[in-house]
Amino acid sequence: MTHDSRPVFAANWKMFKGPRATREFLDEFLVRYQPAVDRRVVFFPPSISVEAFLFAASARPDITVGVQDVHAEGEGAHTGAISASMAVEAGASWSLAGHSERRREFGDDDALVARKVRQILQSGLAPIVCVGETLEEREAGDLTGVLARQVGAVLAAVETAGHADLTWAYEPVWAIGTGRTASPDDAAEAHQIVRSAIATRAGDVTAEQAAILYGGSVKPNNIDSLMEAPGVNGVLVGGASLHAGDFAAICGCRLG
Ligand code: PEP
């Protein structure tokens, strides 16, 4: 994959917006957000809405689509799951892996996240690997240990050739959906820790070029300061991405 250093503005819709609500959102968003060559915009709708999304956004190749999760195996008797290759067939080009809600609600531990990332890469999707500490872990002084463990587990499981294809999202669990955002200094510090953990296993060049997004209560009123923080290469947005006006303002933010 060729290296693309443009910042990423990603929307994680979680379990919101079926096909009809997806079309209604795009009616508004595509008017409010006009294509810009200096950034990438990616949506992660529920997988059942991917087709409706792609149809409604077919005139906008600047916007790409991903799925929020895939199974760690290619196919099989796994009721309710989708595979990475099915996501490709449906037109997706990205997949999240390791979102904290998957880790907490569905038991996606480091080993499972690593297996999912392998599937995602094998299928040709671009992964965004989410890492981040809980409040208890941060208060116990374990920020570096947690991030190094989560990053290391994925890099150890993925072939060296795939290391450069990974996009990362630092998402402090205490900032997701809480309205509490990491300060730009906190984000810069954590991104540096993630980058160092990447360097340890994947080397300095891969670490320097790695895109690391920040996620956790990103809103139109804090996007500028977060994007100015050193080492922040984009954002992964939950709640605010459900509102066309808010997400258009985030995607249209000023860039350095
Ligand atoms: C997320 O779900 O990845 C997220 C960052 O959510 P929110 O923006 O609502 O905190």
Side-chain angles (χ1 to χ4, degrees), residues 1-252:
M1 229 175 266
T2 41
H3 178 62
D4 188 340
S5 61
R6 293 175 302 159
V8 175
F9 294 83
N12 174 15
W13 280 359
K14 313 188 184 197
M15 200 175 72
F16 293 99
K17 298 194 190 299
R20 188 182 56 216
T22 295
R23 287 188 287 271
E24 286 166 3
F25 174 97
L26 286 169
D27 281 348
E28 188 181 341
F29 180 80
L30 297 179
V31 175
R32 287 177 178 254
Y33 174 71
Q34 291 301 313
V37 291
D38 61 350
R39 61 199 74 196
R40 293 177 279 169
V41 174
V42 189
F43 280 84
F44 293 91
S47 50
I48 202 157
S49 300
V50 163
E51 196 178 353
F53 191 108
L54 287 166
F55 190 76
S58 56
R60 290 291 297 270
D62 59 310
I63 293 172
T64 52
V65 177
V67 291
Q68 299 169 14
D69 181 55
V70 295
H71 198 277
E73 286 172 26
E75 63 179 358
H78 305 294
T79 302
I82 62 163
S83 72
S85 57
M86 288 172 193
V88 172
E89 198 180 322
S93 38
W94 299 75
S95 178
L96 297 180
H99 191 279
S100 64
E101 286 153 15
R102 294 288 323 172
R103 292 181 192 259
R104 189 181 64 234
E105 287 184 43
F106 300 93
D108 289 19
D109 59 12
D110 289 339
L112 183 55
V113 172
R115 288 177 57 216
K116 289 185 175 190
V117 173
R118 275 214 307 262
Q119 274 293 332
I120 291 166
L121 286 170
Q122 272 166 23
S123 70
L125 292 172
I128 296 183
V129 185
C130 305
V131 296
E133 82 290 1
T134 63
L135 191 56
E136 296 70 41
E137 289 165 336
R138 173 170 273 260
E139 286 176 348
D142 210 11
L143 175 65
T144 302
V146 170
L147 296 180
R149 192 199 73 226
Q150 293 176 338
V151 170
V154 169
L155 289 174
V158 166
E159 285 182 32
T160 314
H163 287 173
D165 296 333
L166 303 172
T167 297
W168 301 86
Y170 167 64
E171 298 208 300
V173 179
W174 47 270
I176 296 181
T178 58
R180 209 179 140 184
T181 317
S183 69
D185 285 349
D186 286 341
E189 181 197 11
H191 281 224
Q192 187 47 48
I193 294 170
V194 172
R195 220 173 278 286
S196 300
I198 298 169
T200 302
R201 284 207 177 255
D204 289 342
V205 174
T206 300
E208 261 164 48
Q209 292 187 344
I212 307 176
L213 318 185
Y214 168 77
S217 297
V218 175
K219 309 283 178 212
N221 66 7
N222 58 28
I223 183 67
D224 287 338
S225 58
L226 286 164
M227 287 302 295
E228 278 166 12
V232 172
N233 310 116
V235 285
L236 178 55
V237 187
S241 75
L242 297 170
H243 307 284
D246 284 353
F247 195 55
I250 289 170
C251 293

